[in-house]
Amino acid sequence: MDDQLFKVSKEKCDLQSSCKVHLHEITNFKWDKAYFFSSNNYYSNQDIKKITGIFFDLQKYKTVKNQEYKTFAMFIYHGKLVKYGFFDPYLEPDYLDSPSKNQYFDMLFFVDLRSSIFQDKGHFGTVIKFKKNFQIAYYELTPTNDLLYISFFAHGSYYKGYTTEALALCSNLNQVHLR
């Protein structure tokens, strides 16, 4: 799923380093609620059901290929799960677990306005309207409130190769539940 979201986001942004995209425009299926859960928070099966109304055996997936380090996404249509996926968080190329792909799509679960990605006019700095730092527990989006800010970042080196990351961030605080 992250490959498809990356590809369509890149097309919508038309070579810009940062742009605004509606999530329903970059998905190729119908949904009326979408949830993105941070890889940094622990969610039990009961937490997922309480938040989404749908039982999902998340714990089953956490034992496979280090799923606990991935962003979890659920798309729901008329109360039924229509699509789910795990997004690989980008890992810096200098780490032992260097990236296995050349492109990534992921959601940003924190806003630190002191960070260069929020001050750099080439990235989120041109679109961010937030005044405070905050951490996001999870996203809850609907097709009428699904505008995301997306910035593209190239990571790596000439010797190890480059990876491009499409990093998506909420455009308003009605899309998120804060920690």
Side-chain angles (χ1 to χ4, degrees):
M1 180 186 302
D2 66 331
D3 286 335
Q4 186 247 334
L5 293 177
F6 179 92
K7 180 182 177 221
V8 180
S9 296
K10 193 77 167 161
E11 289 169 5
K12 287 256 182 212
C13 290
D14 193 29
L15 303 176
Q16 298 174 59
S17 63
S18 194
C19 67
K20 299 174 185 179
V21 173
H22 289 275
L23 183 61
H24 74 271
E25 293 176 350
I26 62 173
T27 53
N28 59 1
F29 52 90
K30 285 188 174 198
W31 56 273
D32 53 21
K33 283 205 176 181
Y35 295 89
F36 291 85
F37 296 94
S38 170
S39 59
N40 295 329
N41 291 343
Y42 173 81
Y43 294 97
S44 69
N45 295 341
Q46 292 79 14
D47 294 333
I48 299 296
K49 181 166 173 108
K50 184 178 176 184
I51 293 167
T52 68
I54 303 228
F55 176 79
F56 186 87
D57 192 0
L58 184 61
Q59 307 321 308
K60 177 174 92 172
Y61 293 93
K62 288 190 175 227
T63 61
V64 180
K65 297 182 184 177
N66 294 323
Q67 289 289 346
E68 63 266 23
Y69 299 113
K70 297 184 179 186
T71 299
F72 172 53
M74 292 177 77
F75 291 87
I76 297 166
Y77 188 63
H78 294 306
K80 295 188 185 212
L81 182 65
V82 292
K83 194 106 166 157
Y84 70 90
F86 295 93
F87 296 9
D88 287 318
Y90 175 76
L91 299 173
E92 292 293 335
D94 295 336
Y95 292 164
L96 294 176
D97 290 332
S98 60
S100 58
K101 302 188 321 181
N102 65 355
Q103 63 188 35
Y104 287 85
F105 181 94
D106 207 354
M107 303 294 281
L108 189 61
F109 289 94
F110 68 93
V111 171
D112 181 353
L113 298 172
R114 297 165 298 180
S115 170
S116 62
I117 67 171
F118 295 106
Q119 295 178 3
D120 181 359
K121 297 298 180 202
H123 293 294
F124 291 120
T126 58
V127 291
I128 284 299
K129 308 271 189 286
F130 302 118
K131 305 274 187 241
K132 293 183 181 177
N133 299 335
F134 55 90
Q135 289 191 332
I136 300 167
Y138 63 91
Y139 283 74
E140 181 177 355
L141 303 169
T142 66
T144 59
N145 186 20
D146 69 343
L147 180 66
L148 297 172
Y149 298 140
I150 297 182
S151 278
F152 294 90
F153 299 90
H155 304 278
S157 68
Y158 176 78
Y159 298 103
K160 292 186 178 186
Y162 290 94
T163 298
T164 304
E165 177 181 30
L167 196 53
L169 175 65
C170 61
S171 61
N172 68 74
L173 292 180
N174 294 326
Q175 298 171 313
V176 297
H177 293 262
L178 301 177
R179 285 176 46 182

